[in-house]
Amino acid sequence: KYFNSFFRTGESTESCGGADLSLKEREEKSQGDGDAKIKGTLRKLKSRRLNEEISSDSETESPQVSKKKDVEEERFDETAQEKKLRLAKLYLDQLREEEEKAAEDKSYEAAVIAGRLQEEVLEQKGKLQRFVARNYLVPDPVDFRLLRGHKLPVTCLVISPDDKFIFSASKDCSIIKWDVMSGQKLHTVPGGRKGTEDRHVGHTAHILCMAISSDGKYLATGDMNKLIMIWDGATCKHLQKLTGHRDAISGLSFRKGTHDLYSASKDRAIKVWNVDENAYVETLFGHQDAITGLDSLGRERCVTAGGRDGTVRVWKIAEESQLVFHGHEGSIDCIQLINEEHMITGADDGSLALWSVNKKKPLCTVKQVHGVHGDSGLEQPHWICAVAALHNTDLVASGSHDSQVRLWQCGDGYRNLQALFSIPVVGFVNSLKFSNSGNFLVAGVGQEHRLGRWWRIKEAKNGIYIIPLKKQDSGK
């Protein structure tokens, strides 16, 4: 036992000695590790100082980049719950912005719709007046286009509802359909000689008036042979012939939105036709002299100029009644509705007049609007040959034979006329029409007056002028 214990103690002493030896080694090792750490720390300090020197020489970071880094650090540091809350707030803000934008769009749409409805109501009442005249600028004559194709003076013209085509007619009995953009002839219906009425498809006498339906389906023309002819608006194919008047046809107009046709004649009568049924409806009497002009809009009524009888009449078709107006001193040669309740007329005494259907006298009369001509002491005013109005606005135009087309602004309530500017056009301006968009004006010009041969302007060219109308940037 002693021996065994001796050996065990020996082992233990050896082990203790070994332990002492290992402790010494550990101390030496830890001392070496401490030196290494000190060296590593010094090395880090040196590298940090070097980095600071380099960064001081380089450009500083932009605030946006640093802010972005801060946000990224914050997001990196945020918890899952905070991230959910942040995303929820972003989503709610986005929804709120979308709702506000949708509300603004809805309110804008509602305002636009309300404005349109109000305009429609005013238009139906005949009280709509858009103030656009002041937005128009004086056109440059370089931009004018003259379309020639008629051999004799142009007497009348109409513009298609979409403003793409122009139809013109002349004393040479022909009808031409023009393309507005290119100025090319699309269709020509040649005139025939007198005595060939039985075999010629078309007119054989001077065409004095024409009208187109509001959908562009039908074109109507009237001549000095008492005939009204109906044509296909697209192909210019002859469809039918209306007879019944006892003298030259001097005015034609389709009721807006329908195919009801009103016709006026030098026989002092107005007739109503249903073109769809090729049927005559009724005749209205009242004028004491040859009717020189006729116009209509959407209501079941038309207005006429009575020439030498000095009257303007409003014909209420359904009530079978008429209103009579007096105002001009000379023969009233042209008439045009501005809206359902206001109209403009021109006479051979050189005067323009604005009318309301509610007053028997003109609201406004301007005399000698195109000046005078003739020898000293024998001056005569230039006749008003044509008038035009841009519907439901304050812009009107007049034409004569003084080589000028004049544009006018109607005052508030159509109680006065103010001159805007003049457009040089040589010859008798026998017809004037504004495009529906108001972007151009078309003038039918000839060497002679459409109703006779009292004068002749040799330097004039028979044709139609397309006059672009420019607006200011603020114009609508």
Side-chain angles (χ1 to χ4, degrees):
K1 289 179 181 178
Y2 179 76
F3 184 79
N4 290 334
S5 63
F6 174 78
F7 273 101
R8 285 176 184 166
T9 52
E11 290 176 359
S12 63
T13 53
E14 281 182 4
S15 64
C16 287
D20 292 339
L21 184 63
S22 61
L23 180 61
K24 188 177 180 181
E25 290 176 354
R26 286 177 186 173
E27 288 176 356
E28 292 176 354
K29 187 177 181 182
S30 63
Q31 186 176 358
D33 291 342
D35 295 339
K37 285 182 180 178
I38 291 169
K39 291 179 180 178
T41 303
L42 291 172
R43 198 178 293 113
K44 286 181 180 179
L45 288 172
K46 287 181 180 179
S47 64
R48 187 179 300 173
R49 188 178 301 166
L50 183 63
N51 289 335
E52 287 178 358
E53 289 176 358
I54 293 171
S55 63
S56 65
D57 294 336
S58 62
E59 295 181 354
T60 57
E61 291 183 341
S62 65
Q64 294 181 352
V65 174
S66 60
K67 189 176 180 181
K68 187 175 180 183
K69 286 185 177 180
D70 294 340
V71 172
E72 288 177 354
E73 288 177 1
E74 288 178 4
R75 289 183 182 177
F76 182 75
D77 294 338
E78 69 183 354
T79 63
Q81 189 67 24
E82 289 173 343
K83 184 177 181 180
K84 288 181 181 179
L85 183 61
R86 178 174 58 80
L87 293 175
K89 286 181 179 179
L90 287 173
Y91 181 65
L92 290 174
D93 290 341
Q94 186 179 358
L95 286 179
R96 192 179 296 110
E97 288 178 2
E98 290 178 357
E99 287 296 326
E100 289 176 355
K101 187 177 180 181
E104 289 178 0
D105 292 341
K106 286 181 181 178
S107 62
Y108 176 74
E109 289 177 2
V112 170
I113 292 171
R116 287 179 182 173
L117 290 174
Q118 186 177 4
E119 283 192 355
E120 287 181 4
V121 170
L122 290 172
E123 185 176 354
Q124 290 174 0
K125 290 182 178 180
K127 297 179 180 179
L128 179 60
Q129 184 183 17
R130 298 190 189 95
F131 295 98
V132 301
R134 283 295 178 189
N135 295 328
Y136 284 89
L137 303 173
V138 181
D140 188 347
V142 176
D143 298 328
F144 298 177
R145 288 187 293 159
L146 173 62
L147 307 184
R148 301 192 64 183
H150 294 288
K151 298 176 182 178
L152 294 178
V154 175
T155 54
C156 52
L157 62 87
V158 292
I159 304 173
S160 64
D162 58 6
D163 290 344
K164 292 182 178 179
F165 309 107
I166 299 170
F167 298 86
S168 62
S170 166
K171 285 186 177 182
D172 62 8
C173 315
S174 67
I175 302 168
I176 299 178
K177 180 180 180 180
W178 308 85
D179 181 83
V180 173
M181 289 297 294
S182 65
Q184 299 295 317
K185 296 180 191 177
L186 299 179
H187 297 283
T188 301
V189 180
R193 293 183 179 180
K194 187 176 181 180
T196 62
E197 294 84 0
D198 296 336
R199 58 182 182 274
H200 178 73
V201 179
H203 291 280
T204 58
H206 296 179
I207 302 172
L208 298 181
C209 53
M210 66 193 322
I212 190 168
S213 59
S214 56
D215 59 359
K217 184 177 180 180
Y218 296 119
L219 175 72
T221 54
D223 66 13
M224 293 186 70
N225 271 352
K226 316 173 223 176
L227 296 177
I228 300 171
M229 293 194 179
I230 307 298
W231 311 83
D232 184 288
T235 63
C236 289
K237 180 182 178 182
H238 183 262
L239 300 177
Q240 51 190 281
K241 186 184 296 184
L242 304 177
T243 60
H245 279 291
R246 293 176 294 169
D247 206 336
I249 312 298
S250 55
L252 289 169
S253 179
F254 280 96
R255 181 186 171 195
K256 188 177 179 181
T258 73
H259 294 148
D260 294 339
L261 178 66
Y262 304 124
S263 64
S265 170
K266 289 185 178 180
D267 65 4
R268 300 175 290 175
I270 292 103
K271 291 185 183 291
V272 184
W273 314 82
N274 186 322
V275 176
D276 283 330
E277 304 294 332
N278 191 20
Y280 157 79
V281 179
E282 62 179 316
T283 303
L284 308 171
F285 296 99
H287 278 291
Q288 303 302 309
D289 194 26
I291 302 172
T292 54
L294 177 147
D295 196 22
S296 68
L297 284 176
R299 291 181 182 175
E300 196 174 356
R301 59 172 61 176
C302 63
V303 296
T304 54
R308 290 289 170 191
D309 74 0
T311 65
V312 172
R313 299 183 186 234
V314 177
W315 303 85
K316 298 182 178 181
I317 310 299
E319 294 91 336
E320 296 183 352
S321 63
Q322 57 183 290
L323 304 175
V324 184
F325 304 83
H326 298 269
H328 286 285
E329 297 175 359
S331 173
I332 308 172
D333 290 342
C334 46
I335 187 169
Q336 176 85 51
L337 280 166
I338 302 172
N339 56 31
E340 295 285 4
E341 292 199 352
H342 297 90
M343 52 194 164
I344 184 170
T345 56
D348 67 359
D349 62 359
S351 64
L352 283 177
L354 289 173
W355 307 77
S356 168
V357 297
N358 300 316
K359 293 186 178 293
K360 294 298 181 75
K361 294 291 183 181
L363 298 175
C364 167
T365 302
V366 183
K367 296 184 177 181
Q368 296 184 2
V369 294
H370 283 263
V372 296
H373 66 99
D375 298 332
S376 179
L378 300 173
E379 295 93 348
Q380 294 293 322
H382 287 102
W383 296 0
I384 307 300
C385 306
V387 292
L390 185 57
H391 289 154
N392 300 311
T393 71
D394 60 342
L395 182 65
V396 295
S398 62
S400 182
H401 55 98
D402 65 336
S403 302
Q404 299 287 333
V405 171
R406 301 183 188 271
L407 267 65
W408 306 83
Q409 180 185 16
C410 303
D412 191 15
Y414 299 97
R415 296 191 175 276
N416 58 69
L417 271 176
Q418 298 177 2
L420 289 176
F421 50 82
S422 298
I423 300 170
V425 176
V426 179
F428 282 87
V429 181
N430 290 321
S431 184
L432 278 174
K433 294 290 179 184
F434 283 103
S435 65
N436 296 308
S437 61
N439 291 330
F440 61 91
L441 174 69
V442 183
V445 181
Q447 295 179 340
E448 302 168 355
H449 193 284
R450 73 184 184 98
L451 298 177
R453 302 183 66 182
W454 297 281
W455 298 281
R456 183 178 178 85
I457 302 175
K458 293 182 179 180
E459 59 270 23
K461 297 177 181 178
N462 300 319
I464 61 173
Y465 283 88
I466 300 178
I467 304 166
L469 297 176
K470 297 180 180 179
K471 307 174 189 176
Q472 297 176 5
D473 294 338
S474 60
K476 294 183 179 178

